[in-house]
Amino acid sequence: MPSYKAPVEEILFLLRDVFPIQRYNNLPGFAEATPDVVEAIVSEAGKLCEETLQPLNQPGDRAGCVRGKDGSVATPRGFKEAYRAYVEGGWVGLAADPDYGGQGLPFTLAAIVNEFACSANMAFALYPGLSQGALAALLTHGTDAQKKMFVPKLISGDWSATMNLTESHCGTDLGLLKTKAVPNGDGSYALFGEKIFISAGEHDLAENIVHLVLARIEGAPAGVKGISMFVVPKILIEADGSPGPANKVTCGAIEHKMGIHANATCVMDYDGAKGWLVGEPHKGLNAMFVMMNEARLGIAIQGLALSEVAYQNAAAYAKERLQGRALPGPKYPEKPADPIIVHPDVRRNLMTIRAFNEAARALIIWTALKSDIAHRSSDKTEVQAAADSLGLLTPVLKGVLTDMGFDNTVKAQQILGGHGYIEEWGMEQFVRDARIAMIYEGANGIQALDLVGRKLPKDGGRAMMGFLGEVKSFIKDNEADASLAPYLLGLQQALAHLEQATMWFMQNAIANPENAGAGSYDYMHLFGLVALGYMWVQIANAAIASKAAGNGDAAAMEAKLLRAKYFMERIMPETSAHLARISAGAETMMALPAAQF
Amino acid sequence: MPSYKAPVEEILFLLRDVFPIQRYNNLPGFAEATPDVVEAIVSEAGKLCEETLQPLNQPGDRAGCVRGKDGSVATPRGFKEAYRAYVEGGWVGLAADPDYGGQGLPFTLAAIVNEFACSANMAFALYPGLSQGALAALLTHGTDAQKKMFVPKLISGDWSATMNLTESHCGTDLGLLKTKAVPNGDGSYALFGEKIFISAGEHDLAENIVHLVLARIEGAPAGVKGISMFVVPKILIEADGSPGPANKVTCGAIEHKMGIHANATCVMDYDGAKGWLVGEPHKGLNAMFVMMNEARLGIAIQGLALSEVAYQNAAAYAKERLQGRALPGPKYPEKPADPIIVHPDVRRNLMTIRAFNEAARALIIWTALKSDIAHRSSDKTEVQAAADSLGLLTPVLKGVLTDMGFDNTVKAQQILGGHGYIEEWGMEQFVRDARIAMIYEGANGIQALDLVGRKLPKDGGRAMMGFLGEVKSFIKDNEADASLAPYLLGLQQALAHLEQATMWFMQNAIANPENAGAGSYDYMHLFGLVALGYMWVQIANAAIASKAAGNGDAAAMEAKLLRAKYFMERIMPETSAHLARISAGAETMMALPAAQF
């Protein structure tokens, strides 16, 4: 039976020593987030996730969701009570607008709670998690009446939400979608069509489900310019806000999938379901993108979350499992064998995972703070810079954290040997659950294209220049510090590779966009390594300061410095391979005729 | 529903143009393997795998094996008939000794058939596959009476076999095992203990199951020097060879695992089961190692096999799935969208997989031919050289082909986007099935240690010098050939990295063995890339010759040259990252106290 302990101390170190959130006290909601409040919230969230959500994770995987003949869906035993506890704790609306019942605390804190919840029970966390994107879309594009009708109930968690994009013949290419919206003449529309892969499309946790649906208004132009967004409640709402009759949207089937069995992935049938336009007609994609950016950061968090819980269980096993002897001779001669943590190759796997986890967590907080600034600051320059970083880093985090997170669950599973392959030990579930994060909310290849094709050239490369400038400033500000030099060196080399790769695109991809496509995936990962390395030098900096001040756990700080060194020695060398692959260009791969694949 | 087509043409190209097997006509069994016979065997095996085994793969995964209350195990529907067909075709004994009823054909052909069977249905292929290792152990260490009793029935497939090593508290470290053997006084022993993770431990396919079991004779020394090997039939055999009473060995449980559901992984309870010593007392590990080396090559084949079938299905999807447009503009303007094969990043994934598959297949054949020489040649020098290569390359093939094979199933799954995560499409089963190959028969970390700690230094590094000498000779013999130069260059650079890494170990690992342990995994992969690159230059050489002679499919040969180039451009750059990691040594990872993990 796997276990989970929320990394509360890690979070407090990051918010106190690495990115002191007190610096942002000028932003709405941050002044309330005093150190005491932050500690109380993080601890309380950790406790809920450890005690309530985690014990349901393995049984939930085994039981899965069950669809009744009437199209209703039952979640696994215990999920209803857990959802109730989650909602009553106010966790759904932690960072939401107080005007609609939210607590208005920093989004950064919500991102942290999301990590804990996904580590404890990813399939569960998806149910409330999906409301975040819907809230963003409705608050940005909804009418006042729509906001009033849907937002408070979503923030309270009484209702949940879904995103309905994919149809069987189109996922990435939404321009092909066929779901139709016919005006009813009363301002509402009747929706007809079938959507697939709808996470949390139907379930028994919330009183109502608010579907945000992409569809084409009858007579709309073909392609992406004819897509509109609609809000379609599962249960219609009367004028007084009370529940009305069921809408004509039903779950046609539950998909049988590799993992996240406890989350209902539904085929949704729209058979004249009543919906209301959100935002302008034919501009549904813009509205949906608001939702997707929020969601993508949430998926990146899943990558870290599963890497973290897999690490914890693998490390515990490595410290307990007695097998063989240390290479230079027995370390525990009184025992029948040494624990496998004595073996360099076991340590290599564990340190690789953890060197990722700590930097990824820092990167998520760094990015979430940018999001808070972008959404809450009144300083336009600051908002623009933060929004630039957020937009640029979102595909990097989604793609890199989910790829590396998945790889790490595989590495952690390997440490358990044969036990890792057996369901009972829980490691293989982490692998199966983590796998979806690389696919949904835009497969990672699409993230790479978004980065290289859209985010990089946007505004003349302003966001990229901003990011490079920030990293270079940090290096410059600290290059005189000899204690930081070993870490800075690795970052500098990686940064040089990133700049060379960027230059290569400028020289080669404008004439031939396939050169950008061919290098996009490696570029995304190269970028990710630089971003993670930038986090490590900041963590190392804080650890050195903490040690010098003598105000923390010196052994823990020393361990961080070793992991920072490990990251530079063992993970950063990959940047040169990425650069070599990017520089190879598209020629060879495009020369092969399709028939030869 | 996934599909599979055995790569018959690929095999014939390798056996005709790259490693002409006619060259080995002096070896027993090879003269019979005329081109016509080889083509007939490979085609027939392909047909059986495509038509009989593959259709049972997905249903078998869903149904799994079911243990009855009496400890019997039922395999999924259709497996009995398929096993019968496999046995009646003589496939189990294809390469086995004709003195015991085998066909005596080259082992190389058996390895090829094994690839097809594992691609079609890995869980099925394990049942007859396990007999190969048991045969090797019995033929090497068994008494004449044991050979006479067990070998013909195993070769015919009427009986199947298992390997019983692991106990719940020991897998890698067999010195800890507790299963006990008590002399019965009549030359037999009574075995007591529990073994876990026993593949094909109990099932309904064969008339009898021959368990090879590691146990400790009462009073034997502790540790690995007190382990003996026993042969324990499920059903005892009367003096006249007819089936007697059931032995006291039963399946206590079936493990619930991530994949290969259709293969029964059993907990086996020995409760006074009658067994007979195989080989000398206390030297069971030697006897078992014979079995394990054979088995490890078989597991390497599984890595390729799943990469191959995953590739085929991903490539078919990529050519059919219409989504988006090519980056420079529509390639199929008459269609609603272009097939996704137009996208560089999709091609990158596919070419990465296939550039591995073709080289891995060549490497398996190259290694299998070494095995044939080692076991069949009468020239002692030739035997020694071949045995050296076989021993050295076995851990490399097991570790690298299963790691890369698994990664490739993940890449292939990714091409299908959301569909890849849904059971119905079959891609996620390939991932789940491929995962075990990295674990069983010695987890890949153990393979890396075997390579660096045992195989590399053995006989003063003779095997490694032999391998390097062979590769260098090829380069030297061909360096004047301008058409081959682009491929040779990549190999040369990788070879230099391998030599530098080897030198680094010589300089740093003798004083501190942890430096070898810390670099072992990267070294294994670096070695694997050199070996695969060596295969690619040989394939390229053959393709160039075939094009020049105008005797083959010119487009297919051109495609091979593009894939060879792709391998050098996109996969080989990884060798520099491996070298950097190896050179980082053990210091950082060993400095971290266990409590900080």
Side-chain angles (χ1 to χ4, degrees):
Chain A
M1 194 60 176
S3 65
Y4 173 63
K5 184 96 184 61
V8 171
E9 283 308 314
E10 284 292 308
I11 293 291
L12 297 179
F13 167 73
L14 288 167
L15 295 180
R16 183 186 60 223
D17 294 344
V18 185
F19 309 114
I21 61 164
Q22 263 60 53
R23 278 188 202 156
Y24 305 92
N25 272 349
N26 60 318
L27 300 181
F30 276 72
E32 290 75 33
T34 61
D36 284 354
V37 167
V38 167
E39 187 169 346
I41 285 175
V42 175
S43 304
E44 203 53 44
K47 211 171 139 224
L48 177 74
C49 293
E50 293 163 9
E51 296 176 4
T52 305
L53 304 189
Q54 196 274 338
L56 299 175
N57 191 41
Q58 198 172 32
D61 177 65
R62 288 189 189 165
C65 290
V66 180
R67 179 178 173 276
K69 282 183 183 165
D70 60 353
S72 66
V73 171
T75 54
R77 183 195 299 248
F79 271 52
K80 263 190 193 170
E81 294 75 10
Y83 186 80
R84 199 41 37 212
Y86 197 87
V87 159
E88 284 170 4
W91 297 107
V92 181
L94 191 69
D97 192 338
D99 289 349
Y100 294 97
Q103 297 188 51
L105 285 161
F107 168 70
T108 302
L109 286 180
I112 289 164
V113 174
N114 194 16
E115 184 206 322
F116 295 177
C118 290
S119 283
N121 194 328
M122 175 165 152
F124 175 90
L126 278 170
Y127 291 104
L130 281 156
S131 297
Q132 303 301 333
L135 280 168
L138 286 166
L139 284 168
T140 312
H141 294 284
T143 64
D144 286 342
Q146 286 169 347
K147 288 180 198 170
K148 203 177 147 210
M149 181 174 287
F150 297 110
V151 171
K153 290 288 196 180
L154 288 173
I155 285 177
S156 72
D158 291 329
W159 298 355
S160 75
T162 72
M163 295 168 60
N164 287 239
L165 287 73
T166 308
E167 301 178 7
S168 63
H169 62 286
C170 71
T172 301
D173 188 356
L174 292 169
L176 301 174
L177 71 78
K178 293 178 181 167
T179 297
K180 196 173 62 174
V182 183
N184 286 327
D186 62 355
S188 73
Y189 290 79
L191 274 79
F192 299 88
E194 187 192 76
K195 295 284 183 180
I196 66 167
F197 300 162
I198 308 307
S199 295
E202 177 60 76
H203 57 80
D204 53 7
L205 303 179
E207 294 164 11
N208 202 353
I209 301 175
V210 181
H211 303 291
L212 289 184
V213 186
L214 291 190
R216 203 179 290 285
I217 298 172
E218 259 195 332
V224 292
K225 289 182 179 157
I227 298 174
S228 305
M229 186 162 92
F230 298 86
V231 56
V232 183
K234 169 184 166 182
I235 294 165
L236 292 165
I237 300 125
E238 302 291 356
D240 65 357
S242 65
N247 204 347
K248 289 178 181 164
V249 47
T250 49
C251 166
I254 297 187
E255 303 281 6
H256 296 279
K257 52 199 195 300
M258 185 181 191
I260 52 166
H261 292 158
N263 197 274
T265 306
C266 300
V267 175
M268 298 303 296
D269 294 325
Y270 290 83
D271 186 23
K274 201 175 245 192
W276 288 267
L277 191 65
V278 178
E280 293 177 54
H282 317 320
K283 297 206 168 157
L285 230 47
N286 294 345
M288 197 54 94
F289 270 127
V290 172
M291 205 163 161
M292 281 166 60
N293 275 330
E294 297 277 327
R296 283 176 178 178
L297 198 54
I299 307 305
I301 290 171
Q302 294 174 357
L304 163 62
L306 288 176
S307 180
E308 172 65 32
V309 68
Y311 173 85
Q312 290 187 13
N313 286 280
Y317 184 89
K319 285 188 267 190
E320 280 166 19
R321 174 77 170 176
L322 304 180
Q323 203 80 178
R325 291 295 184 183
L327 294 172
K331 288 220 170 140
Y332 300 82
E334 74 287 2
K335 293 186 178 178
D338 287 338
I340 62 171
I341 192 85
V342 302
H343 297 301
D345 195 60
V346 170
R347 290 173 164 248
R348 178 188 63 81
N349 270 315
L350 287 173
M351 288 186 82
T352 300
I353 305 174
R354 184 144 173 190
F356 164 82
N357 290 354
E358 292 189 26
R361 186 172 294 115
L363 187 55
I364 284 165
I365 290 180
W366 181 88
T367 309
L369 285 168
K370 301 278 185 195
S371 174
D372 274 321
I373 297 166
H375 290 111
R376 301 185 184 206
S377 171
S378 49
D379 176 336
K380 278 189 184 171
T381 314
E382 197 177 68
V383 166
Q384 189 190 72
D388 278 354
S389 285
L390 181 63
L392 182 69
L393 268 293
T394 294
V396 175
L397 266 72
K398 181 350 182 141
V400 176
L401 268 52
T402 62
D403 274 2
M404 294 182 80
F406 172 76
D407 285 348
N408 286 344
T409 61
V410 173
K411 283 191 176 72
Q413 179 187 26
Q414 188 74 12
I415 289 173
L416 276 78
H419 299 301
Y421 200 65
I422 306 296
E423 287 177 10
E424 183 188 345
W425 289 77
M427 302 302 289
E428 60 90 41
Q429 184 189 345
F430 300 141
V431 175
R432 289 186 290 104
D433 287 355
R435 183 66 185 87
I436 187 60
M438 297 157 70
I439 298 173
Y440 60 15
E441 299 302 339
N444 287 354
I446 299 298
Q447 304 297 328
L449 269 188
D450 178 48
L451 172 65
V452 166
R454 203 175 296 153
K455 302 294 175 61
L456 201 56
K458 197 175 169 231
D459 305 317
R462 193 181 67 203
M464 185 62 180
M465 286 186 285
F467 176 79
L468 293 173
E470 181 179 328
V471 178
K472 284 181 181 174
S473 291
F474 183 91
I475 294 174
K476 196 155 184 289
D477 292 350
N478 292 281
E479 64 191 352
D481 181 351
S483 61
L484 207 59
Y487 316 104
L488 285 179
L489 185 65
L491 176 61
Q492 268 170 317
Q493 288 169 345
L495 191 68
H497 290 155
L498 181 61
E499 290 189 294
Q500 287 171 55
T502 311
M503 189 64 73
W504 193 90
F505 280 151
M506 286 172 66
Q507 289 164 346
N508 297 280
I510 294 162
N512 178 8
E514 282 168 344
N515 276 326
S520 58
Y521 212 86
D522 280 288
Y523 187 85
M524 175 175 78
H525 274 275
L526 170 51
F527 199 147
L529 290 174
V530 169
L532 292 168
Y534 176 44
M535 296 301 118
W536 264 122
V537 296
Q538 292 178 81
I539 294 170
N541 199 30
I544 291 166
S546 170
K547 265 179 70 183
N551 63 4
D553 175 345
M557 294 303 115
E558 193 52 47
K560 284 194 187 303
L561 293 176
L562 283 168
R563 285 191 285 266
K565 194 152 168 271
Y566 183 91
F567 186 90
M568 298 304 170
E569 285 176 353
R570 294 264 174 175
I571 300 179
M572 273 307 206
E574 198 62 33
T575 58
S576 65
H578 287 307
L579 178 60
R581 286 192 282 261
I582 292 164
S583 313
E587 194 185 331
T588 307
M589 62 174 84
M590 299 316 293
L592 195 66
Q596 293 293 340
F597 277 87
Chain B
M1 197 50 180
S3 66
Y4 173 63
K5 184 96 185 59
V8 171
E9 283 308 315
E10 283 292 307
I11 293 291
L12 297 179
F13 167 73
L14 288 167
L15 296 180
R16 185 185 59 224
D17 295 342
V18 184
F19 309 113
I21 61 163
Q22 263 59 55
R23 279 189 200 155
Y24 305 92
N25 272 350
N26 58 318
L27 300 180
F30 275 73
E32 290 75 36
T34 60
D36 285 357
V37 168
V38 167
E39 187 167 346
I41 286 175
V42 175
S43 305
E44 203 53 43
K47 211 172 137 219
L48 176 74
C49 294
E50 293 164 7
E51 296 176 4
T52 305
L53 304 190
Q54 196 274 339
L56 299 175
N57 190 40
Q58 198 172 33
D61 178 65
R62 288 190 189 164
C65 289
V66 180
R67 179 177 173 277
K69 283 182 185 164
D70 59 354
S72 67
V73 170
T75 54
R77 184 195 300 248
F79 271 51
K80 264 190 195 170
E81 295 75 11
Y83 186 80
R84 201 38 39 210
Y86 197 87
V87 159
E88 283 171 3
W91 297 106
V92 181
L94 191 70
D97 192 337
D99 289 347
Y100 294 97
Q103 298 187 52
L105 285 161
F107 167 70
T108 302
L109 287 181
I112 290 164
V113 174
N114 194 17
E115 184 205 322
F116 295 177
C118 291
S119 283
N121 194 328
M122 174 165 152
F124 175 89
L126 278 170
Y127 291 105
L130 281 157
S131 299
Q132 303 299 334
L135 280 169
L138 286 167
L139 285 169
T140 312
H141 294 283
T143 63
D144 286 343
Q146 286 171 348
K147 288 180 199 170
K148 202 179 146 203
M149 182 176 284
F150 297 111
V151 171
K153 289 289 194 179
L154 287 173
I155 284 177
S156 70
D158 290 328
W159 299 355
S160 74
T162 73
M163 295 168 60
N164 287 238
L165 287 73
T166 307
E167 301 178 7
S168 62
H169 62 287
C170 71
T172 301
D173 188 355
L174 291 169
L176 300 174
L177 72 77
K178 293 179 181 165
T179 296
K180 197 173 60 176
V182 184
N184 286 326
D186 61 354
S188 72
Y189 290 78
L191 274 79
F192 299 87
E194 187 192 77
K195 295 285 182 179
I196 65 167
F197 300 162
I198 308 307
S199 295
E202 178 60 77
H203 57 81
D204 53 6
L205 301 179
E207 293 163 12
N208 202 353
I209 301 175
V210 181
H211 304 292
L212 289 184
V213 185
L214 290 190
R216 202 180 292 283
I217 298 173
E218 259 194 332
V224 292
K225 289 183 177 157
I227 298 174
S228 305
M229 187 163 93
F230 298 87
V231 57
V232 184
K234 169 184 166 183
I235 294 166
L236 292 165
I237 301 125
E238 302 291 356
D240 64 356
S242 65
N247 205 347
K248 289 178 180 164
V249 48
T250 49
C251 166
I254 297 187
E255 303 281 5
H256 296 280
K257 52 197 196 300
M258 186 180 191
I260 52 165
H261 292 158
N263 196 275
T265 305
C266 300
V267 175
M268 298 303 295
D269 294 326
Y270 290 84
D271 187 22
K274 201 177 249 192
W276 289 266
L277 190 65
V278 179
E280 293 177 53
H282 317 320
K283 297 209 169 155
L285 230 47
N286 294 345
M288 197 54 94
F289 270 127
V290 172
M291 206 162 160
M292 281 166 61
N293 275 329
E294 296 277 326
R296 284 176 178 177
L297 198 56
I299 307 305
I301 290 172
Q302 294 174 356
L304 163 63
L306 288 176
S307 180
E308 172 66 32
V309 68
Y311 173 84
Q312 290 187 14
N313 286 280
Y317 184 89
K319 286 188 265 190
E320 280 166 18
R321 174 78 170 176
L322 304 179
Q323 202 80 177
R325 291 294 186 185
L327 293 171
K331 288 221 169 140
Y332 299 83
E334 74 287 3
K335 294 186 178 180
D338 288 339
I340 61 172
I341 192 85
V342 303
H343 298 301
D345 194 61
V346 170
R347 289 172 163 248
R348 179 187 63 82
N349 270 315
L350 287 172
M351 288 186 82
T352 300
I353 306 174
R354 183 144 174 190
F356 164 82
N357 290 354
E358 292 189 26
R361 186 173 293 115
L363 186 55
I364 284 165
I365 289 179
W366 181 88
T367 309
L369 285 168
K370 300 277 185 194
S371 174
D372 274 320
I373 296 167
H375 291 111
R376 301 185 185 208
S377 172
S378 49
D379 175 336
K380 279 187 182 173
T381 315
E382 197 178 68
V383 166
Q384 188 190 73
D388 278 355
S389 285
L390 181 63
L392 183 69
L393 268 294
T394 295
V396 175
L397 265 72
K398 197 298 190 173
V400 176
L401 268 53
T402 62
D403 274 2
M404 293 181 80
F406 172 76
D407 284 350
N408 286 344
T409 61
V410 173
K411 284 192 175 73
Q413 179 188 26
Q414 189 73 12
I415 289 173
L416 275 78
H419 298 301
Y421 201 65
I422 306 296
E423 287 177 10
E424 184 189 346
W425 290 76
M427 302 301 287
E428 60 90 41
Q429 184 188 345
F430 299 142
V431 175
R432 289 185 291 104
D433 287 355
R435 183 66 184 88
I436 188 59
M438 297 157 71
I439 299 173
Y440 61 14
E441 299 302 339
N444 286 355
I446 299 299
Q447 304 297 328
L449 269 188
D450 178 46
L451 172 65
V452 166
R454 203 175 297 154
K455 301 295 175 60
L456 201 55
K458 199 176 167 228
D459 304 317
R462 192 181 70 205
M464 185 62 180
M465 285 185 285
F467 176 79
L468 293 173
E470 181 180 328
V471 179
K472 284 181 182 174
S473 290
F474 183 92
I475 294 174
K476 196 154 183 291
D477 291 350
N478 292 282
E479 64 190 353
D481 182 350
S483 62
L484 207 57
Y487 316 104
L488 284 180
L489 185 65
L491 177 61
Q492 268 170 316
Q493 288 168 345
L495 192 67
H497 291 155
L498 180 61
E499 291 190 291
Q500 288 170 54
T502 311
M503 190 63 75
W504 193 90
F505 279 152
M506 286 172 66
Q507 290 164 344
N508 297 280
I510 294 163
N512 178 7
E514 282 168 344
N515 276 325
S520 58
Y521 213 86
D522 280 287
Y523 187 84
M524 175 176 78
H525 274 276
L526 170 51
F527 199 147
L529 290 174
V530 169
L532 292 168
Y534 176 43
M535 296 302 118
W536 265 122
V537 296
Q538 292 178 82
I539 295 170
N541 199 31
I544 290 167
S546 170
K547 267 179 68 183
N551 63 3
D553 175 344
M557 295 303 115
E558 193 53 48
K560 284 194 188 302
L561 293 175
L562 283 168
R563 285 191 285 265
K565 194 152 169 270
Y566 182 91
F567 185 90
M568 299 302 170
E569 285 175 351
R570 293 266 173 175
I571 300 180
M572 273 305 205
E574 199 61 32
T575 59
S576 64
H578 287 307
L579 178 61
R581 286 192 282 262
I582 292 163
S583 312
E587 194 185 331
T588 307
M589 60 174 84
M590 298 317 292
L592 195 66
Q596 292 293 339
F597 277 88

